[in-house]
């Protein structure tokens, strides 16, 4: 903040003046012992008071100060006063609750927090991506956010990075999937040199008109942004085209973001197995642990000649380790209990971001941050799209999706399946298995079910129907064609009063309790309630029992956000 705007000569950072008011349990801004308290870091000028409100600038007002509570009366002579009850600070509870995922969250709890949120909102840039993303953020659903780091050079001190005059390509790309129950998340890195097909994409021009930019085939992923005026919506569409996973939203930042965010938290801890002296990135680090911020932090995430085979895939591993460390630092008590760091982090984070219009309001970004905070760092998995060297190249420079492993990784994310052992989730599933499979079972001839194909090979529904009718005795079964969408695992949906039928069919098919989905029945052509069996990609053939388990592929790179690793 500009001290001149307060009508004072001293240059004081307002972030340093945020203190906890023991009476209210909230953080407030105190500029000096004699100055009036303010709850919003913003310019103030002296002026008359009218109608109990304080004037801050032409056309702007802030609410009047809260009336201080009267001091308690002294106890009557001869009587011992009761010791005041020690109350836990609501401000501290709020800090611990928010966890620092996005620093500005805690400021909502303060007086005038709304005004400060509107100030932060002015820092955030937005892009209209149209139908490439979701129209709103939903707290009760799984969601996918595409995080993009561009090579665009903005701000002072970035002359030595990236291509001069670059429109900003998709240099670093992470598809963050957050599970519906918030028990886990997966951060999937997409190599910039991955060969993909970029689809046609509609972009919104500065004058509000729409323009369709033609797609192209067999090019690097990073060309999905910047080239020919492509925006982040084009990158989102390219992700959907390549993986089958549709991003709901995007967050994009350039070089300045790493510098400002790491400076705001007083540095991020990193580790390298061997000393680094890279003249190209200007990164110099001793072997072992170091703390990097600003220019040094940017050099750390950009260098690729100091690690592994000096390629982009090794740099991705380093970036994943760095992000895990940054997450831990933002959620640390050292950050959460420092109003100075929280304000600086809020300013740095919002100024660094460009997001889609649907989440452009700081209130929505706050909601996203709170949902992210619910995910334990030990259950945030960092991994990379499984790839192979491009077989079309003699000199290997690009990569292609490993078709033996890639689709399985994509399906796990699409179907909200955790890459980590989520203990709570395992316990709930065991309880569900015990509850759903135990109890009376109907006779096979009383089971009424329709069979749908939801990802199994063509003809599977008819083959399973034939098995049920001719060999399993489930005569009241019918073929319902293809399901509305593909699923990874076979499921059986049934109404509560069909539980005995569901248990009977589960025993015949070898379904686990997790595959049994209590819900609603449908009405068949005869007007009778019918269960729905949807054959997923795990279907192994007519009459072959399913165990309901999903085994993830062996991945070359995988780590979690709570792990402290050394780059090599």
């Amino acid at each position: 903040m500009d001290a001149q705007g307060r009508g004072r000569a001293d240059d004081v950072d307002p972030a340093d003046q945020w203190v906890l008011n023991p009476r209210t349990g909230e953080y407030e801004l105190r500029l000096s012992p004699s100055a009036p308290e303010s709850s919003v870091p913003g310019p103030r000028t002296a002026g008359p008071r009218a109608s109990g409100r304080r004037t801050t600038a032409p056309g702007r007002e802030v609410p009047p100060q809260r009336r201080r509570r009267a001091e308690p009366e002294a106890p009557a002579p001869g009587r011992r006063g009761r010791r005041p009850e020690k109350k836990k600070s609501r401000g501290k509870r709020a800090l611990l609750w928010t966890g620092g995922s996005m620093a500005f969250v805690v400021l909502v709890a303060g007086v005038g927090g709304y005004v400060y949120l509107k100030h932060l909102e002015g820092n955030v840039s937005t892009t209209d991506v149209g139908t490439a993303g979701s129209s709103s953020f939903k707290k009760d659903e799984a969601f996918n956010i595409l995080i993009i780091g561009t090579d665009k050079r903005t701000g002072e001190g970035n002359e030595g990075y990236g291509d001069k005059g670059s429109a900003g390509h998709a240099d670093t790309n992470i598809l963050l999937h957050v599970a519906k129950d918030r028990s886990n998340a997966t951060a999937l890195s997409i190599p910039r040199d991955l060969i993909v097909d970029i689809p046609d994409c509609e972009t919104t021009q500065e004058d509000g008109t729409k323009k369709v930019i033609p797609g192209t085939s067999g090019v690097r992923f990073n060309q999905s942004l910047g080239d020919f005026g492509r925006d982040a919506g084009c990158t989102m569409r390219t992700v959907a085209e390549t993986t089958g996973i549709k991003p709901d939203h995007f967050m994009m930042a350039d070089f300045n973001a790493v510098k400002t965010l790491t400076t705001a938290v007083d540095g991020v801890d990193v580790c390298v197995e061997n000393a680094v002296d890279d003249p190209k990135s200007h990164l110099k680090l001793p072997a072992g642990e170091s703390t990097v911020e600003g220019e040094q932090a940017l050099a750390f995430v950009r260098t690729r000649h100091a690690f592994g085979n000096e390629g982009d895939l090794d740099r991705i591993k380093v970036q994943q380790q760095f992000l895990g460390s940054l997450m831990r630092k933002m959620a640390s008590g050292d950050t959460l209990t420092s109003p100075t760091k929280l304000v600086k982090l809020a300013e740095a984070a919002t100024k660094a971001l460009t997001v889609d219009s649907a989440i452009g309001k700081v209130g929505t970004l706050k909601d996203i941050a709170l949902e992210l905070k619910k995910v334990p760092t030990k259950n945030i998995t960092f991994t990379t799209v499984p790839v192979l060297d491009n077989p079309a190249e003699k000199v290997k420079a690009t990569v292609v999706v490993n078709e033996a492993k890639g689709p399985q990784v994509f399906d796990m994310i699409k179907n909200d399946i955790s890459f980590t052992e989520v203990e709570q989730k395992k316990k709930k599933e065991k309880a569900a298995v015990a509850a759903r499979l135990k109890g009376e079972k109907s006779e096979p001839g009383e089971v009424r079910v329709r069979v749908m194909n939801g990802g199994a090979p063509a003809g599977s529904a008819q083959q399973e129907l034939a098995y049920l009718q001719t060999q399993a005795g489930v005569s009241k079964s019918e073929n319902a064609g293809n399901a509305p969408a593909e699923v990874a695992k076979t499921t059986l949906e049934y109404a509560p009063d069909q539980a005995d039928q569901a248990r009977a069919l589960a025993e015949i098919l070898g379904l686990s309790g997790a595959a049994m989905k209590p819900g609603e029945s449908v009405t068949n052509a005869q007007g009778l309630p019918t269960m729905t069996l949807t054959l997923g990609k795990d279907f192994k053939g007519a009459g072959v029992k399913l165990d309901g388990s999903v085994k993830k592929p062996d991945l070359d790179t995988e780590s979690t956000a709570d792990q402290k690793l050394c780059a090599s």
Side-chain angles (χ1 to χ4, degrees), residues 327-346:
M327 285 180 176
R328 293 192 297 273
K329 187 62 177 285
M330 292 174 71
S332 69
D334 183 52
T335 300
L336 296 180
T337 56
S338 170
T340 301
K341 290 183 182 179
L342 288 171
V343 172
K344 288 180 179 179
L345 189 54

Side-chain angles (χ1 to χ4, degrees), residues 384-412:
T384 305
V385 172
V387 296
L388 299 171
D389 287 334
N390 188 351
E393 295 176 336
K394 291 184 178 179
V395 178
K396 304 303 180 184
T398 61
V399 293
V400 296
V401 173
N402 182 339
E403 294 298 337
K405 296 181 179 181
Q408 193 170 351
V409 170
F410 305 151
D411 284 343
M412 289 181 68

Side-chain angles (χ1 to χ4, degrees), residues 71-82:
E71 295 295 332
E73 295 182 1
R79 297 179 60 188
R80 179 177 296 177
R82 179 179 297 176

Side-chain angles (χ1 to χ4, degrees), residues 362-373:
V362 169
T364 307
L365 292 173
K366 176 204 69 174
D367 290 340
I368 293 174
L370 291 177
E371 294 305 306
L372 288 172
K373 175 63 185 114

